[in-house]
Amino acid sequence: MAQAPAPRKKIDEIPEKVHVWPYLVRLEFLCAIIVILLLAVWSITIDAPLEEAANPTKTPNPSKAPWYFLGLQDILVYFDPWFAGVVAPVLIIVGLMLIPYLDMNPKGNGYYTYEERKVAIWVYCFGFLVLWIALIIMGVFLRGPGWNLFMPWQFWDPHKVVALVNVDLPYAFGVRDYWMASFVGAVVTLGYFGVGTAIYMFMERKAIKNVGFVRMFLKIQLILIMIGIVIKIVLRLAFNIKYIWVTPWFNV
Amino acid sequence: MATKPPEIPNIAEMMDKIKSGKIFGEIAKSITESQVWTSTFRHGYADTPRNRVLQIASNVWLHLHPVKIHRHALRIKFTWCMGGITFLLFLSTVVTGVILMFYYRPVGEYAYFDMKYLQYDVPFGMLMRNMHRWAAHAMVITVWLHMFRVFLTGSYKPPREFNWVIGVFLVTFTLLLSFTGYLLPWDQLAMWAVTVGTNMARATPFLGNEGPFQEFVFGVSPRYDARSMLIGGSVVGPPALLRFYVLHCIFIPLVAGALMIVHFWRIRKDGGISGPL
Ligand code: HEM
């Protein structure tokens, strides 16, 4: 979080301002023609799908949400519905809205730059390209019956059974008592956020005065949640961990 | 007396005219000075700065624009034109959607057969349906790309923070528009996609009948919770169809349209498209 530099002033010899008519309007017009043409060609050549009539007694396997929500549906493998279906979307929306109020870097306003805002670009690209787009592509093409993973050359076998050998994290460490496990889970989960926040605050302690504590606190929580989702996916795929924290009310 | 030899166009001269663009001026001149043209249009358009301003300011459709903009705002490389394309696709869905509404009834018994009717009997019905659907899907992609561009250029930074917030509402409403429309064909694809999507609402903390902490909220049951409010029952049935239809055709487009107007107005008030100044 560097100090605000003096805004870059660039004085051109050519006039800075141009008339919207004709310079912008003609561009928009051209663009509109091209887009409408493409849309017309697309619509003439490819028909919108219409399957058999809705039948509440016949559940297709796999049942997929519309493609743009398949990232969220894929997260369902790793998280319970209250998180993947409700809390995660809310966090995405709220988190996006907070971006302008959390990113206090005055540089890179109105032009493309990687050098001047590396962290911001990395975080956004990771969230958008990996957690959103890549999961959608996977959901559309690689998720078959039973929401199992199928490679493109594999047959979508509806009888494929994948043995579920997942255990909860405290169990993997030998904790057998329910309440003890719940306690260990709480320590691990809350500890992750606590330690993560503390480390960040310590490393960026000089910035607190300029940026403000609340901003930095919210920012690091959102980033920790994002990283946490990835950690949990990795734990599941690599170590068959189901939940980290089990309580009578919710599981994480 | 020897007859005059026919005039042979000088190739080099022609190429010169084409290359320098003079040829367009000549063609335009011969058209606008023709009798047909001069009898139709009583006077010409003088390309003066005043007229350029008036073209925008006295046109109800164009006046959403400022009359002058920064030169850099014209660069396609900068905006990718994605906001404008998103808006154009939205307009396409409005036009084709209204046409579809003439033939479609959001009733359990009719909806699916109205789709069949549209596809096989209504002139250009299939084309209208295709355009509506593909424009909607394309809009989802272009709005994501627009957002990506706005992020990469840091255009959400002061003074444009609030327009970014409006934008997040817009991307949410774009997805909701698409999602509510997904149910309307009332086929297997529609019903089960929406079932999967709305099942999530069951798990809403406090308000969903399978959500965390629902036991502390009085009256939450499969029939009365966040999900049943959305779909008007405990399964995706005809009440859900009607609800989604009203949301899809009236509520969400109106709200999204209003937000778009605010979005465009704020672009002007925030000093036009952001740029390296
Ligand atoms: C229905 C959806 C939307 C429409 C029709 C729309 C339309 C537009 C248009 C036409 C522009 C002018 C510049 C350009 O074309 O890039 C623009 C700029 C802008 N949009 Fe959107 N937009 C939409 C959604 C969004 C979203 C989702 C965001 C961000 C979350 C957003 C944030 C902005 C901002 C900050 C600007 C100013 C950019 C600058 O100054 O460089 N908009 N929008």
Side-chain angles (χ1 to χ4, degrees):
Chain A
M1 310 296 131
Q3 299 230 319
R8 299 203 308 168
K9 276 261 186 278
K10 204 178 75 190
I11 287 112
D12 293 347
E13 310 84 54
I14 38 173
E16 233 324 281
K17 292 231 168 183
V18 293
H19 281 110
V20 164
W21 178 283
Y23 298 107
L24 179 62
V25 176
R26 71 178 178 200
L27 262 186
E28 290 176 341
F29 188 60
L30 192 69
C31 202
I33 291 176
I34 295 172
V35 171
I36 293 292
L37 258 177
L38 287 178
L39 182 65
V41 170
W42 182 7
S43 302
I44 289 169
T45 49
I46 303 179
D47 281 346
L50 186 67
E51 299 186 355
E52 52 191 290
N55 182 351
T57 61
K58 203 168 131 195
T59 312
N61 185 11
S63 289
K64 291 189 181 182
W67 61 269
Y68 34 84
F69 288 147
L70 285 188
L72 292 171
Q73 197 177 352
D74 213 67
I75 300 273
L76 269 176
V77 175
Y78 314 99
F79 289 91
D80 282 354
W82 68 268
F83 183 80
V86 185
V87 174
V90 170
L91 280 175
I92 293 172
I93 294 172
V94 174
L96 283 173
M97 284 183 186
L98 284 178
I99 286 178
Y101 304 98
L102 298 183
D103 179 3
M104 285 289 110
N105 179 0
K107 281 186 267 177
N109 184 346
Y111 52 98
Y112 292 99
T113 167
Y114 168 67
E115 292 302 321
E116 294 170 30
R117 39 198 290 258
K118 286 185 186 161
V119 179
I121 302 256
W122 267 101
V123 172
Y124 194 90
C125 284
F126 181 75
F128 180 58
L129 298 177
V130 179
L131 287 183
W132 192 253
I133 300 294
L135 284 186
I136 286 176
I137 292 174
M138 201 167 105
V140 172
F141 297 107
L142 306 184
R143 290 294 189 183
W147 205 252
N148 286 314
L149 263 188
F150 292 86
M151 287 299 121
W153 56 88
Q154 280 175 331
F155 169 64
W156 276 21
D157 177 7
H159 305 296
K160 175 171 173 176
V161 176
V162 179
L164 285 179
V165 290
N166 299 327
V167 294
D168 298 338
L169 183 78
Y171 188 94
F173 283 107
V175 181
R176 295 293 182 267
D177 177 63
Y178 181 87
W179 288 105
M180 195 57 203
S182 187
F183 178 71
V184 172
V187 170
V188 172
T189 312
L190 299 178
Y192 165 73
F193 282 95
V195 172
T197 309
I199 292 178
Y200 174 73
M201 289 295 184
F202 179 74
M203 305 234 304
E204 297 286 333
R205 59 193 176 283
K206 286 205 209 88
I208 295 182
K209 212 167 70 215
N210 293 332
V211 181
F213 181 79
V214 178
R215 279 205 181 93
M216 291 180 62
F217 183 79
L218 287 176
K219 185 175 359 177
I220 189 63
Q221 300 316 310
L222 290 171
I223 291 177
L224 283 172
I225 292 171
M226 231 165 101
I227 300 174
I229 292 174
V230 180
I231 293 180
K232 202 169 164 209
I233 292 178
V234 171
L235 280 180
R236 166 67 62 82
L237 295 179
F239 302 102
N240 290 317
I241 299 295
K242 184 161 171 61
Y243 292 122
I244 294 174
W245 183 12
V246 177
T247 76
W249 308 281
F250 62 89
N251 306 315
V252 186
Chain B
M1 233 207 229
T3 47
K4 234 169 77 180
E7 227 176 274
I8 300 168
N10 183 338
I11 301 282
E13 220 171 73
M14 282 293 281
M15 288 307 287
D16 237 31
K17 268 194 203 162
I18 293 174
K19 276 190 200 148
S20 63
K22 263 191 211 127
I23 186 106
F24 296 112
E26 278 179 22
I27 294 173
K29 201 165 164 237
S30 63
I31 291 176
T32 52
E33 285 177 0
S34 71
Q35 191 182 1
V36 175
W37 185 280
T38 48
S39 64
T40 312
F41 302 101
R42 296 186 51 244
H43 56 79
Y45 163 74
D47 193 17
T48 61
R50 184 185 139 81
N51 274 342
R52 288 181 170 194
V53 170
L54 287 180
Q55 281 291 337
I56 299 298
S58 355
N59 181 310
V60 69
W61 305 112
L62 292 178
H63 90 283
L64 263 175
H65 295 103
V67 294
K68 276 187 156 195
I69 51 168
H70 285 282
R71 181 177 293 279
H72 63 76
L74 292 173
R75 279 178 302 147
I76 301 245
K77 256 177 158 166
F78 184 76
T79 62
W80 308 351
C81 209
M82 274 304 150
I85 292 178
T86 308
F87 185 54
L88 179 70
L89 289 170
F90 176 74
L91 292 181
S92 318
T93 55
V94 171
V95 172
T96 52
V98 169
I99 294 171
L100 294 179
M101 282 174 80
F102 286 126
Y103 299 96
Y104 174 85
R105 288 162 294 178
V107 181
E109 290 86 350
Y110 297 151
Y112 181 72
F113 297 101
D114 285 349
M115 297 310 287
K116 288 274 184 201
Y117 173 53
L118 253 166
Q119 294 200 3
Y120 294 109
D121 265 351
V122 177
F124 298 107
M126 187 80 226
L127 184 66
M128 284 305 116
R129 180 164 180 242
N130 290 347
M131 283 183 84
H132 191 72
R133 193 172 184 103
W134 299 141
H137 283 205
M139 186 179 165
V140 170
I141 297 173
T142 55
V143 75
W144 290 350
L145 289 178
H146 172 55
M147 200 166 154
F148 194 38
R149 178 303 271 185
V150 171
F151 188 88
L152 290 183
T153 55
S155 304
Y156 57 84
K157 299 189 177 200
R160 297 183 180 79
E161 305 101 307
F162 187 66
N163 222 10
W164 169 273
V165 175
I166 293 180
V168 178
F169 277 110
L170 276 173
V171 72
T172 312
F173 279 114
T174 304
L175 290 178
L176 288 179
L177 261 179
S178 210
F179 183 64
T180 49
Y182 215 85
L183 182 64
L184 303 184
W186 206 231
D187 62 345
Q188 280 289 75
L189 188 67
M191 167 176 255
W192 291 99
V194 169
T195 301
V196 171
T198 54
N199 269 349
M200 295 300 111
R202 262 206 282 256
T204 313
F206 296 103
L207 297 180
N209 77 83
E210 289 172 7
F213 309 120
Q214 55 86 17
E215 57 268 39
F216 302 119
V217 181
F218 175 74
V220 170
S221 71
R223 184 59 189 85
Y224 292 103
D225 70 343
R227 177 167 179 274
S228 68
M229 196 181 91
L230 199 63
I231 62 175
S234 49
V235 293
V236 174
L241 182 61
L242 185 55
R243 255 169 223 217
F244 273 45
Y245 177 78
V246 174
L247 290 174
H248 182 75
C249 300
I250 298 175
F251 181 73
I252 307 177
L254 281 182
V255 176
L259 284 175
M260 278 178 215
I261 293 173
V262 179
H263 193 63
F264 300 152
W265 174 76
R266 272 306 288 246
I267 297 175
R268 287 183 64 171
K269 292 294 155 187
D270 294 338
I273 299 299
S274 60
L277 278 178

